[in-house]
Amino acid sequence: MYTYTLGGKNGKKYVLHESHDMVAIRTRNSRNLKNAVISDEGKKALKDFELVLEFPEADISVFQAKDSVKDKLAVRDKAKKALKKESELRFAGRVLIDTGSNTLVLYTENIFIKFHDEIETRICENILDENHLKIKQKPDYARNTYFVSAPENTGLRIFKLAESLLDKKEVELCHPELIRKRSLKKIHTRQWHLKTTVINGTTVNANVKADAAHKISTGCDIVIALIDDGFDIDHPEFNQPGKVVHSRDISSNSNDPRPKNSYNNHGTACAGVAAAAGIKASGVAPEAILMPVRLSSNLGSMAEAAAFKWAADHGADVISCSWGPEDGNWSDPDDPVHFAEVGLPDSTRLAMDYAVSEGRNGKGCIITFAAGNGNEDCRFDGYASSDKVIAVSACNDTGKRCVYSDYGSNVWCSFPSSDFGYSPFNHPEPLTPGIYTTDRRGNEGYNVNGDYTGNFGGTSSSCPGAAGTVALILSANPELTWLQVREIIKETSEKIDRAGGKYNSEGHSIYYGFGRINAEKAVKKALEMKSKSPVRKSKAKITA
């Protein structure tokens, strides 16, 4: 059993157990695993295993002993011993299991540590030196914060080391860097989510009234940062003068956010929902500025925190995140993943706090998160349930809940997205295939026959839709604080599905939050609040 603590000495303790039939292998210098295992002994050892999960951005592959293997523990240990002799492998180590969800968790030999603000730098770094920890980064989103590496082959002792450091009176926060598979929140005249339209002869009126909002505000001058897997910034909807700013690939430390792999399709679609220019598909905020931040690292990495820091420091007004912990099986109410709590790492939490407190010259960046697609309570998701974010659920083209959408008291609002029928839940088929948005050009992306896709969806689509609405609000009244923006959405969202929405006395529904976003009402409310404040230059669109 191995433990780590988030939130400091009085925070929440999490428990992990060792898998007895899995081994994690990491290559050196991004070498292909097939070429990294050279010896006959190493190749023979892997024949008893099958590949079950890959973390390509970390050069890690996870193997599990085949069902035909009888003594799995002995075979695992024998394989580890053989593979550790391979010169091109950085390590062959154990795999940990989150017992609540039975999901894989990988540990690195890195630690995030924050000392109390009043501790002198000299004392902080003496403690690190005494524990043979090498400073890799000194994040500047919080005082006395370090990202450090332990000596090679520290292995699982990293957990005891982190807990012992946390016990020191000088230390405020400390936990190992743990990574999980990041889940992108996707589900397998068409922009019905923006305005009332007719599709296949059927009138679809389940939209956010963006067409009416555009008469007042189109998101001009507002910067939407999307943190995702890659962006086709050469797409005609984005390849416009001044449309894209401060591009970044956090994982490679470059300024090229373009997709690097065939499966990096998610970010381009999300970006289109938020801010496509309107050539053949309009984003909710077609004149907003896009800041594409590519993050290929998995959940919980230090790169995750760096992405929020980059966005806040480079002028993001809104930060949209259509990802989070792995979802449970939406069709299986008994899936244990539904009830497995994944905490928000202190490193990421502090970076988000920085964005909210320091972003927009102190008015705060507005952060939107996809609620999730597991048909589960998002309170177990430390990201979507954070009190610093707007968690967005999905509603469908008939104004009802999408069958897969996460729910709970942490949901702030809902935004239209794709859906599908499921007879065991008496859930009818939708009227439309999903959301029409940008896709990677040519034969890459979701639609191999075009540059747009018509069936994007999930809360992955709802989240940037809400972010685009925030851009409309801020363009109408740029002086609003992040809390005021949240309140505007709360006050102006439309109470849909009153019969089945389970709204409480405060007007909150576990399925829709405070309702489906109404962009027109939200923008008008922003202008109303502006008229009651000192006169300042507006970023709202001027219409005759």
Side-chain angles (χ1 to χ4, degrees), residues 53-70:
L53 194 62
E54 288 184 294
F55 295 78
E57 64 289 331
D59 305 317
I60 294 176
S61 302
V62 179
F63 289 83
Q64 185 172 33
K66 295 178 179 177
D67 291 339
S68 58
V69 175
K70 293 182 179 179

Side-chain angles (χ1 to χ4, degrees), residues 35 41 89 100 106 134 162 173 185 226 270 272 337 345 408 459 497:
N35 299 326
E41 184 182 10
L89 295 185
L106 298 184
K134 181 181 179 181
L173 304 167
K185 304 303 184 181
L226 281 98
C270 288
V337 178
T459 54
D497 187 20

Side-chain angles (χ1 to χ4, degrees), residues 224-283:
I224 304 175
L226 281 98
I227 301 174
D228 217 294
D229 66 356
F231 305 86
D232 185 354
I233 57 174
D234 303 304
H235 194 289
E237 300 288 351
F238 309 127
N239 191 13
Q240 304 282 324
K243 182 68 173 178
V244 176
V245 298
H246 300 301
S247 300
R248 189 66 175 170
D249 184 332
I250 297 295
S251 301
S252 68
N253 289 318
S254 76
N255 293 327
D256 181 5
R258 294 175 178 84
K260 302 299 188 294
N261 300 293
S262 60
Y263 49 82
N264 291 161
N265 305 319
H266 193 259
T268 300
C270 288
V273 174
I279 297 173
K280 291 185 179 180
S282 176

Side-chain angles (χ1 to χ4, degrees), residues 227 250 293-295 302-312 319 323:
I227 301 174
I250 297 295
V293 182
R294 183 174 184 268
L295 178 67
M302 276 299 296
E304 193 174 83
F308 286 100
K309 181 65 164 51
W310 174 273
I319 303 175
W323 45 269

Side-chain angles (χ1 to χ4, degrees), residues 190-450:
R190 300 164 64 182
Q191 295 198 281
W192 59 267
H193 61 296
L194 299 182
K195 65 177 183 178
T196 301
T197 189
V198 177
I199 296 180
N200 297 327
T202 301
T203 299
V204 182
N205 183 14
N207 61 89
V208 299
K209 297 179 173 53
D211 57 334
H214 289 172
K215 296 176 181 179
I216 308 168
S217 173
T218 52
C220 183
D221 293 345
I222 299 302
V223 179
I224 304 175
L226 281 98
I227 301 174
D228 217 294
D229 66 356
F231 305 86
D232 185 354
I233 57 174
D234 303 304
H235 194 289
E237 300 288 351
F238 309 127
N239 191 13
Q240 304 282 324
K243 182 68 173 178
V244 176
V245 298
H246 300 301
S247 300
R248 189 66 175 170
D249 184 332
I250 297 295
S251 301
S252 68
N253 289 318
S254 76
N255 293 327
D256 181 5
R258 294 175 178 84
K260 302 299 188 294
N261 300 293
S262 60
Y263 49 82
N264 291 161
N265 305 319
H266 193 259
T268 300
C270 288
V273 174
I279 297 173
K280 291 185 179 180
S282 176
V284 178
E287 292 191 357
I289 299 166
L290 174 66
M291 183 191 296
V293 182
R294 183 174 184 268
L295 178 67
S296 61
S297 301
N298 280 286
L299 203 72
S301 69
M302 276 299 296
E304 193 174 83
F308 286 100
K309 181 65 164 51
W310 174 273
D313 282 351
H314 289 82
D317 297 294
V318 195
I319 303 175
S320 179
C321 307
S322 291
W323 45 269
E326 182 180 359
D327 292 311
N329 181 345
W330 63 265
S331 65
D332 179 6
D334 298 321
D335 187 344
V337 178
H338 292 318
F339 314 103
E341 183 175 354
V342 178
L344 181 64
D346 291 325
S347 50
T348 302
R349 176 178 59 81
L350 289 175
M352 289 167 59
D353 287 349
Y354 174 86
V356 169
S357 63
E358 303 299 325
R360 300 178 56 237
N361 295 318
K363 293 186 290 291
C365 297
I366 295 86
I367 302 173
T368 61
F369 255 96
N373 301 329
N375 185 22
E376 59 202 9
D377 195 326
C378 66
R379 68 186 173 92
F380 297 110
D381 174 348
Y383 294 76
S385 65
S386 166
D387 61 0
K388 298 298 194 303
V389 312
I390 293 175
V392 189
S393 66
C395 53
N396 65 18
D397 52 21
T398 64
K400 301 289 178 64
R401 174 178 176 247
C402 295
V403 68
Y404 54 80
S405 182
D406 282 7
Y407 54 83
S409 61
N410 298 104
V411 171
W412 194 261
C413 60
S414 62
F415 194 94
S417 191
S418 66
D419 199 9
F420 44 85
Y422 190 62
S423 56
F425 290 174
N426 295 317
H427 195 82
E429 292 289 338
L431 304 173
T432 64
I435 300 301
Y436 186 76
T437 183
T438 47
D439 194 19
R440 291 176 66 181
R441 292 163 301 135
N443 59 4
E444 295 182 303
Y446 297 122
N447 178 10
V448 297
N449 297 313

Side-chain angles (χ1 to χ4, degrees), residues 494-512:
E494 184 178 351
K495 300 292 188 288
I496 58 173
D497 187 20
R498 287 184 178 274
K502 297 183 180 180
Y503 290 91
N504 63 20
S505 59
E506 296 178 355
H508 183 274
S509 161
I510 60 171
Y511 300 129
Y512 311 111

Side-chain angles (χ1 to χ4, degrees), residues 116-134:
H116 289 288
D117 288 351
E118 67 275 11
I119 305 299
E120 295 179 15
T121 300
R122 173 183 55 82
I123 296 175
C124 298
E125 298 186 1
N126 279 345
I127 291 174
L128 298 178
D129 188 58
E130 289 167 2
N131 287 274
H132 309 291
L133 297 171
K134 181 181 179 181

